[in-house]
Short mmCIF file of all heavy atoms in Angstrom, two decimals:
data_model
loop_
_atom_site.label_atom_id
_atom_site.label_comp_id
_atom_site.label_asym_id
_atom_site.label_seq_id
_atom_site.Cartn_x
_atom_site.Cartn_y
_atom_site.Cartn_z
N GLU A 27 4.48 -10.70 -1.95
CA GLU A 27 5.08 -9.46 -2.46
C GLU A 27 4.32 -8.97 -3.69
O GLU A 27 4.06 -7.76 -3.83
CB GLU A 27 6.55 -9.70 -2.82
CG GLU A 27 7.49 -9.65 -1.64
CD GLU A 27 7.73 -8.21 -1.15
OE1 GLU A 27 7.75 -7.29 -1.99
OE2 GLU A 27 7.89 -8.03 0.07
N ASN A 28 3.97 -9.88 -4.59
CA ASN A 28 3.23 -9.48 -5.79
C ASN A 28 1.85 -8.96 -5.44
O ASN A 28 1.37 -7.99 -6.04
CB ASN A 28 3.13 -10.66 -6.75
CG ASN A 28 4.46 -11.05 -7.35
OD1 ASN A 28 5.41 -10.27 -7.34
ND2 ASN A 28 4.56 -12.27 -7.87
N ALA A 29 1.19 -9.62 -4.49
CA ALA A 29 -0.14 -9.17 -4.06
C ALA A 29 -0.06 -7.79 -3.43
O ALA A 29 -0.86 -6.88 -3.74
CB ALA A 29 -0.74 -10.17 -3.09
N GLY A 30 0.92 -7.60 -2.54
CA GLY A 30 1.08 -6.29 -1.91
C GLY A 30 1.40 -5.20 -2.91
O GLY A 30 0.92 -4.06 -2.78
N ALA A 31 2.21 -5.54 -3.92
CA ALA A 31 2.54 -4.56 -4.95
C ALA A 31 1.29 -4.15 -5.74
O ALA A 31 1.11 -2.97 -6.08
CB ALA A 31 3.59 -5.13 -5.89
N ALA A 32 0.41 -5.12 -6.03
CA ALA A 32 -0.83 -4.81 -6.75
C ALA A 32 -1.73 -3.92 -5.90
O ALA A 32 -2.36 -2.98 -6.41
CB ALA A 32 -1.55 -6.11 -7.12
N VAL A 33 -1.79 -4.19 -4.60
CA VAL A 33 -2.60 -3.36 -3.70
C VAL A 33 -2.03 -1.94 -3.65
O VAL A 33 -2.77 -0.95 -3.72
CB VAL A 33 -2.63 -3.97 -2.28
CG1 VAL A 33 -3.34 -3.02 -1.30
CG2 VAL A 33 -3.36 -5.32 -2.30
N ALA A 34 -0.71 -1.83 -3.54
CA ALA A 34 -0.08 -0.51 -3.48
C ALA A 34 -0.34 0.29 -4.75
O ALA A 34 -0.61 1.50 -4.70
CB ALA A 34 1.43 -0.66 -3.25
N LEU A 35 -0.27 -0.37 -5.90
CA LEU A 35 -0.53 0.32 -7.16
C LEU A 35 -1.95 0.84 -7.21
O LEU A 35 -2.19 2.00 -7.58
CB LEU A 35 -0.25 -0.63 -8.33
CG LEU A 35 -0.51 -0.07 -9.73
CD1 LEU A 35 0.38 1.14 -10.00
CD2 LEU A 35 -0.31 -1.14 -10.80
N GLU A 36 -2.90 0.00 -6.83
CA GLU A 36 -4.30 0.43 -6.85
C GLU A 36 -4.52 1.57 -5.86
O GLU A 36 -5.25 2.53 -6.15
CB GLU A 36 -5.21 -0.76 -6.52
CG GLU A 36 -6.64 -0.59 -6.93
CD GLU A 36 -6.81 -0.43 -8.43
OE1 GLU A 36 -6.11 -1.10 -9.20
OE2 GLU A 36 -7.65 0.42 -8.83
N ALA A 37 -3.90 1.46 -4.68
CA ALA A 37 -4.05 2.51 -3.68
C ALA A 37 -3.48 3.84 -4.16
O ALA A 37 -4.03 4.91 -3.88
CB ALA A 37 -3.37 2.09 -2.38
N SER A 38 -2.40 3.78 -4.92
CA SER A 38 -1.77 5.01 -5.40
C SER A 38 -2.66 5.75 -6.38
O SER A 38 -2.51 6.98 -6.56
CB SER A 38 -0.42 4.70 -6.05
OG SER A 38 -0.60 3.97 -7.26
N TRP A 39 -3.60 5.05 -7.01
CA TRP A 39 -4.55 5.70 -7.90
C TRP A 39 -5.76 6.25 -7.14
O TRP A 39 -6.41 7.19 -7.61
CB TRP A 39 -5.03 4.72 -8.98
CG TRP A 39 -3.96 4.30 -9.93
CD1 TRP A 39 -2.84 5.00 -10.28
CD2 TRP A 39 -3.90 3.08 -10.67
NE1 TRP A 39 -2.08 4.30 -11.19
CE2 TRP A 39 -2.70 3.11 -11.46
CE3 TRP A 39 -4.71 1.97 -10.76
CZ2 TRP A 39 -2.33 2.07 -12.30
CZ3 TRP A 39 -4.34 0.93 -11.61
CH2 TRP A 39 -3.17 0.98 -12.36
N LEU A 40 -6.05 5.68 -6.00
CA LEU A 40 -7.22 6.10 -5.23
C LEU A 40 -6.93 7.26 -4.29
O LEU A 40 -7.83 8.04 -3.96
CB LEU A 40 -7.77 4.92 -4.41
CG LEU A 40 -8.43 3.78 -5.19
CD1 LEU A 40 -8.76 2.61 -4.26
CD2 LEU A 40 -9.69 4.26 -5.91
N ALA A 41 -5.69 7.36 -3.82
CA ALA A 41 -5.31 8.41 -2.87
C ALA A 41 -4.65 9.57 -3.60
O ALA A 41 -4.01 9.38 -4.64
CB ALA A 41 -4.36 7.85 -1.82
N PRO A 42 -4.80 10.78 -3.09
CA PRO A 42 -4.09 11.91 -3.72
C PRO A 42 -2.58 11.75 -3.56
O PRO A 42 -2.09 11.05 -2.68
CB PRO A 42 -4.60 13.12 -2.93
CG PRO A 42 -5.10 12.57 -1.64
CD PRO A 42 -5.59 11.20 -1.92
N ARG A 43 -1.84 12.39 -4.43
CA ARG A 43 -0.38 12.30 -4.39
C ARG A 43 0.13 12.74 -3.02
O ARG A 43 -0.26 13.79 -2.50
CB ARG A 43 0.22 13.17 -5.49
CG ARG A 43 1.72 12.98 -5.65
CD ARG A 43 2.25 13.81 -6.80
NE ARG A 43 3.67 13.58 -7.00
CZ ARG A 43 4.41 14.25 -7.87
NH1 ARG A 43 3.85 15.19 -8.63
NH2 ARG A 43 5.70 14.00 -8.00
N HIS A 44 1.01 11.92 -2.44
CA HIS A 44 1.55 12.15 -1.10
C HIS A 44 0.45 12.18 -0.04
O HIS A 44 0.64 12.77 1.04
CB HIS A 44 2.37 13.46 -1.03
CG HIS A 44 3.43 13.56 -2.07
ND1 HIS A 44 4.35 12.56 -2.30
CD2 HIS A 44 3.70 14.54 -2.98
CE1 HIS A 44 5.16 12.93 -3.28
NE2 HIS A 44 4.78 14.12 -3.73
N GLY A 45 -0.68 11.56 -0.33
CA GLY A 45 -1.80 11.56 0.60
C GLY A 45 -1.56 10.67 1.81
O GLY A 45 -0.57 9.93 1.91
N ARG A 46 -2.53 10.71 2.72
CA ARG A 46 -2.44 9.97 3.97
C ARG A 46 -3.22 8.66 3.83
O ARG A 46 -4.43 8.68 3.59
CB ARG A 46 -2.99 10.81 5.11
CG ARG A 46 -2.13 12.04 5.43
CD ARG A 46 -2.88 13.07 6.22
NE ARG A 46 -3.97 13.66 5.43
CZ ARG A 46 -4.71 14.70 5.83
NH1 ARG A 46 -4.49 15.24 7.01
NH2 ARG A 46 -5.67 15.17 5.06
N ILE A 47 -2.52 7.56 4.01
CA ILE A 47 -3.12 6.23 3.84
C ILE A 47 -2.97 5.46 5.15
O ILE A 47 -1.88 5.41 5.73
CB ILE A 47 -2.44 5.45 2.69
CG1 ILE A 47 -2.62 6.19 1.37
CG2 ILE A 47 -3.01 4.03 2.60
CD1 ILE A 47 -1.89 5.55 0.20
N VAL A 48 -4.08 4.89 5.60
CA VAL A 48 -4.08 4.02 6.77
C VAL A 48 -4.26 2.59 6.29
O VAL A 48 -5.17 2.31 5.49
CB VAL A 48 -5.19 4.40 7.76
CG1 VAL A 48 -5.27 3.38 8.90
CG2 VAL A 48 -4.94 5.79 8.34
N VAL A 49 -3.40 1.68 6.76
CA VAL A 49 -3.49 0.27 6.40
C VAL A 49 -3.85 -0.53 7.64
O VAL A 49 -3.13 -0.47 8.65
CB VAL A 49 -2.16 -0.25 5.81
CG1 VAL A 49 -2.30 -1.69 5.35
CG2 VAL A 49 -1.71 0.64 4.65
N LEU A 50 -4.97 -1.26 7.58
CA LEU A 50 -5.41 -2.10 8.69
C LEU A 50 -5.02 -3.54 8.38
O LEU A 50 -5.48 -4.12 7.40
CB LEU A 50 -6.92 -2.00 8.87
CG LEU A 50 -7.52 -0.60 9.05
CD1 LEU A 50 -9.01 -0.69 9.30
CD2 LEU A 50 -6.82 0.16 10.17
N CYS A 51 -4.19 -4.14 9.22
CA CYS A 51 -3.68 -5.48 8.97
C CYS A 51 -4.22 -6.47 10.01
O CYS A 51 -4.27 -6.15 11.21
CB CYS A 51 -2.16 -5.50 9.02
SG CYS A 51 -1.39 -4.56 7.68
N GLY A 52 -4.58 -7.65 9.53
CA GLY A 52 -5.05 -8.71 10.40
C GLY A 52 -3.97 -9.74 10.64
O GLY A 52 -2.80 -9.56 10.27
N PRO A 53 -4.34 -10.89 11.24
CA PRO A 53 -3.34 -11.85 11.70
C PRO A 53 -2.82 -12.82 10.65
O PRO A 53 -1.84 -13.52 10.90
CB PRO A 53 -4.10 -12.62 12.78
CG PRO A 53 -5.53 -12.54 12.35
CD PRO A 53 -5.69 -11.20 11.71
N GLY A 54 -3.43 -12.90 9.46
CA GLY A 54 -3.05 -13.91 8.48
C GLY A 54 -2.35 -13.33 7.28
O GLY A 54 -1.78 -12.22 7.31
N ASN A 55 -2.38 -14.09 6.17
CA ASN A 55 -1.70 -13.64 4.95
C ASN A 55 -2.32 -12.39 4.36
O ASN A 55 -1.63 -11.63 3.68
CB ASN A 55 -1.71 -14.77 3.92
CG ASN A 55 -0.67 -15.83 4.23
OD1 ASN A 55 0.18 -15.65 5.10
ND2 ASN A 55 -0.73 -16.94 3.53
N ASN A 56 -3.60 -12.16 4.61
CA ASN A 56 -4.23 -10.92 4.17
C ASN A 56 -3.54 -9.72 4.82
O ASN A 56 -3.23 -8.72 4.17
CB ASN A 56 -5.72 -10.95 4.51
CG ASN A 56 -6.53 -9.95 3.72
OD1 ASN A 56 -7.03 -8.98 4.28
ND2 ASN A 56 -6.68 -10.18 2.43
N GLY A 57 -3.23 -9.87 6.11
CA GLY A 57 -2.48 -8.83 6.80
C GLY A 57 -1.07 -8.70 6.24
O GLY A 57 -0.52 -7.59 6.15
N GLY A 58 -0.46 -9.83 5.87
CA GLY A 58 0.86 -9.78 5.24
C GLY A 58 0.85 -8.98 3.96
O GLY A 58 1.77 -8.18 3.69
N ASP A 59 -0.20 -9.15 3.14
CA ASP A 59 -0.35 -8.33 1.93
C ASP A 59 -0.39 -6.85 2.29
O ASP A 59 0.17 -6.00 1.59
CB ASP A 59 -1.63 -8.70 1.18
CG ASP A 59 -1.65 -10.14 0.70
OD1 ASP A 59 -0.58 -10.76 0.59
OD2 ASP A 59 -2.77 -10.65 0.44
N GLY A 60 -1.08 -6.55 3.39
CA GLY A 60 -1.17 -5.16 3.83
C GLY A 60 0.18 -4.59 4.24
O GLY A 60 0.50 -3.42 3.94
N PHE A 61 1.00 -5.39 4.94
CA PHE A 61 2.34 -4.93 5.32
C PHE A 61 3.18 -4.61 4.08
O PHE A 61 3.89 -3.59 4.04
CB PHE A 61 3.04 -6.00 6.16
CG PHE A 61 2.79 -5.90 7.64
CD1 PHE A 61 1.89 -6.74 8.27
CD2 PHE A 61 3.45 -4.95 8.40
CE1 PHE A 61 1.66 -6.65 9.63
CE2 PHE A 61 3.23 -4.86 9.77
CZ PHE A 61 2.33 -5.71 10.39
N VAL A 62 3.12 -5.48 3.08
CA VAL A 62 3.88 -5.23 1.85
C VAL A 62 3.40 -3.94 1.18
O VAL A 62 4.22 -3.10 0.77
CB VAL A 62 3.76 -6.43 0.89
CG1 VAL A 62 4.41 -6.10 -0.45
CG2 VAL A 62 4.39 -7.67 1.49
N ALA A 63 2.09 -3.78 1.06
CA ALA A 63 1.54 -2.58 0.43
C ALA A 63 1.96 -1.33 1.18
O ALA A 63 2.32 -0.31 0.58
CB ALA A 63 0.02 -2.68 0.36
N ALA A 64 1.92 -1.39 2.52
CA ALA A 64 2.31 -0.23 3.33
C ALA A 64 3.76 0.15 3.07
O ALA A 64 4.10 1.34 2.91
CB ALA A 64 2.09 -0.55 4.81
N ARG A 65 4.65 -0.84 3.02
CA ARG A 65 6.07 -0.57 2.78
C ARG A 65 6.29 0.10 1.42
O ARG A 65 7.04 1.08 1.30
CB ARG A 65 6.85 -1.89 2.85
CG ARG A 65 8.36 -1.70 2.82
CD ARG A 65 9.10 -3.03 2.73
NE ARG A 65 9.09 -3.57 1.38
CZ ARG A 65 8.58 -4.75 1.04
NH1 ARG A 65 8.01 -5.54 1.94
NH2 ARG A 65 8.62 -5.14 -0.22
N LEU A 66 5.62 -0.41 0.40
CA LEU A 66 5.81 0.12 -0.96
C LEU A 66 5.20 1.52 -1.09
O LEU A 66 5.76 2.38 -1.78
CB LEU A 66 5.20 -0.83 -1.97
CG LEU A 66 5.84 -2.23 -2.03
CD1 LEU A 66 5.09 -3.12 -3.00
CD2 LEU A 66 7.32 -2.12 -2.43
N LEU A 67 4.07 1.75 -0.44
CA LEU A 67 3.45 3.07 -0.50
C LEU A 67 4.31 4.11 0.23
O LEU A 67 4.43 5.25 -0.22
CB LEU A 67 2.04 3.01 0.10
CG LEU A 67 1.01 2.30 -0.76
CD1 LEU A 67 -0.24 1.98 0.05
CD2 LEU A 67 0.64 3.16 -1.99
N LYS A 68 4.89 3.72 1.33
CA LYS A 68 5.78 4.63 2.06
C LYS A 68 6.99 4.99 1.20
O LYS A 68 7.43 6.15 1.18
CB LYS A 68 6.23 3.97 3.36
CG LYS A 68 7.06 4.90 4.25
CD LYS A 68 7.45 4.21 5.54
CE LYS A 68 8.32 5.14 6.39
NZ LYS A 68 8.79 4.49 7.64
N ALA A 69 7.50 4.00 0.45
CA ALA A 69 8.64 4.27 -0.43
C ALA A 69 8.28 5.22 -1.56
O ALA A 69 9.16 5.85 -2.16
CB ALA A 69 9.16 2.95 -1.00
N ARG A 70 6.98 5.34 -1.86
CA ARG A 70 6.52 6.26 -2.90
C ARG A 70 6.09 7.61 -2.32
O ARG A 70 5.38 8.38 -2.96
CB ARG A 70 5.36 5.63 -3.68
CG ARG A 70 5.75 4.37 -4.43
CD ARG A 70 4.55 3.73 -5.10
NE ARG A 70 4.87 2.40 -5.61
CZ ARG A 70 3.98 1.57 -6.16
NH1 ARG A 70 2.71 1.92 -6.26
NH2 ARG A 70 4.37 0.38 -6.59
N ASP A 71 6.49 7.86 -1.11
CA ASP A 71 6.27 9.16 -0.44
C ASP A 71 4.82 9.42 -0.05
O ASP A 71 4.41 10.58 0.09
CB ASP A 71 6.79 10.31 -1.32
CG ASP A 71 8.30 10.27 -1.46
OD1 ASP A 71 8.98 9.85 -0.51
OD2 ASP A 71 8.80 10.66 -2.54
#
C-alpha cells in the first residue's frame, strides 16, 4: 500500500490534472504496487 501510494503521488505530478493514465501490471508484487497506484489515482479523479 505504501509503495503504491508513492507511485500514485509521483504519477500525479507527471500527468496533467484529470489526465489519462495507463497502468501496466505484471504477475508479481510489482504488479500489486501498480494495482494500488491505479486505485488511488482513480480516487483522485
Side-chain angles (χ1 to χ4, degrees):
E27 278 285 326
N28 291 341
V33 173
L35 178 61
E36 199 62 39
S38 68
W39 293 334
L40 291 173
R43 188 177 183 185
H44 308 309
R46 292 162 293 187
I47 299 175
V48 174
V49 184
L50 305 183
C51 294
N55 283 350
N56 199 249
D59 298 340
F61 271 102
V62 173
R65 188 186 79 239
L66 297 176
L67 287 165
K68 185 179 178 183
R70 297 176 190 175
D71 294 327

